[in-house]
Amino acid sequence: MNLRKLHSAALVLLILFSAGCKPSASVDSTKAVKSNEKIGAFSADTAYKYVAEQVAFGPRVPGTAAHDSCANYIVERLHGLGPDTVIVQTGTVTAFNGDVLPIKNIIAQYNKFQTKRILLAAHWDTRPWANRDDSHEKRLLPADGANDGGSGVGVLLEIARNLAEKSPSVGVDLFFIDAEDYGDSSGFSENSDTWCLGSQYWADNVVPYTADNMPVYGILLDMVGGRDARFNYEAFAQENATKPTVKVWSEAESLGYGERFPRSIGGAVTDDHVVLTRAGIPTTNIIELNNPETLSFPPSWHTHNDNLSNIDKETLQAVGDVVLNVVYKEKPF
């Protein structure tokens, strides 16, 4: 993903991204009453294990053996976690540098025949170049992607385990998106379409939905495992995906995670949620984008420090608890 801090120029960009989407009211900052009731049984230890198992394959760059192995791993894990259906969408996309990438988008459906559905998503590929590493020699080498790629998948797989043990009232789809991180980092507004190639492919070849069962909203998890991570509002999501944004940040407050989910905009991000929202699924984004050290993404982003040593189980726990509560509180039409 790519980011620019939100200022006047980014506001203009936000309007451009919002074209074709019906604007909605800004997020209500009213504080929710603390209930501290965790409905699911999210295990940060298990989520961490799922992250470690991905990292063990090596960098999951499209077109590599590690990428193939991780795709098989996700599918096999899902089959063991009780979904009604696992769909693997295969295709090829062309990156900004001309590389042709074989991709696999993976969708697991729970309560397949429930008309009201929500979508939980994360990208599972990793950056092919650690282009922000301190070592110039290592910048052309891929990084582990423990947080940027691995953490969102780890949380989704642990959510899948919970859904298998306690069925939600609505349909829930888990979307593991490929080829998010193969974009051109030389600019933001000029190169935004070079990112999120897997979700763009899906938007052009939508599966498995019809007009009758398109998810009513989505939640994207991206870099949700960093140490002491804080998850500010993301600007595009706040503008165009108000409903899930309100749900997530209100639930965080009610569970006592308000400090981890500040009710202020951290920045504007090119990420899969923008593509999903444009495709008709208003999607919010849980992402660390206002780190106090960098004032943007965490210091490990697109470096070789994005490894297991920087994964925080307390962060995984907070995100998992919040998302599961949102899921389990959702009611059918």
Side-chain angles (χ1 to χ4, degrees), residues 69-145:
S69 295
C70 191
N72 293 335
Y73 161 82
I74 293 171
V75 171
E76 290 171 5
R77 276 289 183 195
L78 289 170
H79 277 303
L81 294 171
D84 297 319
T85 306
V86 176
I87 299 164
V88 180
Q89 180 188 50
T90 60
T92 58
V93 296
T94 302
F96 72 96
N97 61 355
D99 289 351
V100 178
L101 312 175
I103 67 166
K104 291 184 178 180
N105 290 324
I106 303 165
I107 300 174
Q109 294 193 286
Y110 290 80
N111 288 351
K112 178 180 178 180
F113 298 106
Q114 264 285 353
T115 302
K116 184 177 182 180
R117 315 198 63 75
I118 58 177
L119 183 72
L120 308 179
H123 79 89
W124 67 272
D125 65 302
T126 55
R127 181 78 171 152
W129 317 280
N131 54 282
R132 296 181 64 88
D133 200 86
D134 289 338
S135 169
H136 288 269
E137 293 78 13
K138 293 182 178 180
R139 287 182 182 177
L140 295 179
L141 301 175
D144 287 344

Side-chain angles (χ1 to χ4, degrees), residues 9-89:
L11 284 172
V12 174
L13 184 60
L14 177 56
I15 293 170
L16 293 175
F17 266 90
S18 302
C21 300
K22 182 179 179 181
S24 47
S26 61
V27 174
D28 183 4
S29 61
T30 302
K31 299 292 186 180
V33 177
K34 287 187 178 181
S35 65
N36 299 318
E37 178 190 0
K38 296 179 183 179
I39 301 175
F42 188 90
S43 167
D45 288 335
T46 306
Y48 182 90
K49 177 175 71 74
Y50 291 144
V51 176
E53 288 171 347
Q54 294 170 78
V55 170
F57 292 119
R60 283 83 66 203
V61 177
T64 65
H67 182 265
D68 290 340
S69 295
C70 191
N72 293 335
Y73 161 82
I74 293 171
V75 171
E76 290 171 5
R77 276 289 183 195
L78 289 170
H79 277 303
L81 294 171
D84 297 319
T85 306
V86 176
I87 299 164
V88 180
Q89 180 188 50

Side-chain angles (χ1 to χ4, degrees), residues 195-218:
W195 302 81
C196 309
L197 298 180
S199 57
Q200 289 188 60
Y201 182 89
W202 172 87
D204 291 335
N205 305 274
V206 173
V207 293
Y209 306 114
T210 67
D212 295 328
N213 67 353
M214 186 76 82
V216 294
Y217 66 81

